[in-house]
Each structure stands twice: as structure tokens, then as C-alpha cells.
Amino acid sequence: MPQNSVSVRSGATALDVYAPGHLGELTEIIDSELVDAVLEDTGVRTQRLRLLPARVVVYFVLALAFFERSSYQAVWAKLTAGLGSVPVARPCASSLARARRRLGSGPLRHLFSILAGPVADHRQSCAFYQGLRLVAVDGTTLSAPDEKAVT
């Protein structure tokens, strides 16, 4: 079968194949119900049954951030590796690009606004020193002008 062909086992829908938990650790960290709610809030719903539902495309775009040096198809292979012997869609790069474009940036911005923020709260004393939140900046270089107002 060619690399860019699409195949799904007979009788199974794309939503069955990509059921919550099937796409690895991303679904453990970011709950599929939250992704569905974000898609609903932003008005980006799957209008018809596709081989690449909107929820799956969200996880694909998130996986692109983890594997930034990999191709679309390599990221897709990593994302669906946990499905084992279940036949899944093997979309070509252009199909993944179209799905990403169809999704847009709205759902990802909304998901970020929900999830972004400090992990520790005031009940965790190890995250604060003299009432201030401890922050670690690792591997980042900050440049500031050499002016009296800055120092």
C-alpha cells in the first residue's frame, strides 16, 4: 500500500480509532474532553466525519511542537505509534497541512489561555521565598540596555 494512502478498519469510524487515550501521553496531560470543549467554544467542530477529526488535529499540532525537527508524517507516525496493530489513516503531508489550516489558531489559543499559568499555588511553600514566587530561567539569555533606569 502506498505511503500516502488512507485506510481504516471496516466498521470503525475515525472517532473510534482515535478514542480518548489512544493518542499516547498527550491525552493523559490534556484531556480529550477539554479539547472537545475548546473546539465547541471556538466554533471549530467536525462538520462531517473525517479521517482527521478536529480533536486529533489539535493533538497533532501539539505534537509538532514537541518534535519540531521532524516532518509532518514522522510526527503523525509518533502520535499514532501507540495504536499498535489498529489500522489508522496514513495521511500525506498536504492532507495534514490542510487539516491544520482548517483547524486554525483559535482553538490552540483558547487551549493555551486555559492551561497557561503557574503550576504551584500558595499552599506549596517550596515554590515561594519571602512571599515571592521562585522562578527558574534555564538556558535563556536576557539583554538589557546599560542605563541607570534599568539598574
Side-chain angles (χ1 to χ4, degrees):
M1 190 179 296
Q3 178 68 15
N4 61 355
S5 67
V6 176
S7 61
V8 176
R9 66 189 156 118
S10 61
T13 68
L15 294 176
D16 294 336
V17 173
Y18 305 121
H22 287 187
L23 293 177
E25 293 182 26
L26 272 177
T27 56
E28 292 177 17
I29 297 167
I30 302 173
D31 187 30
S32 61
E33 292 175 2
L34 173 62
V35 173
D36 289 341
V38 164
L39 292 169
E40 186 71 30
D41 289 348
T42 56
V44 180
R45 312 183 260 290
T46 303
Q47 299 295 324
R48 59 188 174 96
L49 185 60
R50 297 178 179 269
L51 291 175
L52 296 172
R55 178 197 315 144
V56 176
V57 178
V58 168
Y59 287 116
F60 171 71
V61 173
L62 292 172
L64 284 173
F66 287 116
F67 306 109
E68 62 185 35
R69 297 184 193 269
S70 298
S71 68
Y72 274 23
Q73 289 175 316
V75 171
W76 180 258
K78 291 176 187 204
L79 187 65
T80 58
L83 293 172
S85 62
V86 176
V88 295
R90 293 189 330 191
C92 60
S94 63
S95 296
L96 291 167
R98 280 192 305 275
R100 185 177 177 188
R101 192 171 27 253
R102 197 171 47 244
L103 179 70
S105 63
L108 295 164
R109 287 177 195 242
H110 189 52
L111 185 62
F112 179 80
S113 70
I114 292 170
L115 296 176
V119 177
D121 60 17
H122 289 286
R123 292 174 290 186
Q124 296 170 303
S125 61
C126 63
F128 293 87
Y129 176 73
Q130 294 186 354
L132 300 174
R133 182 178 301 277
L134 294 174
V135 196
V137 179
D138 191 19
T140 303
T141 304
L142 302 174
S143 299
D146 190 16
E147 298 174 0
K148 186 171 178 99
V150 175
T151 57

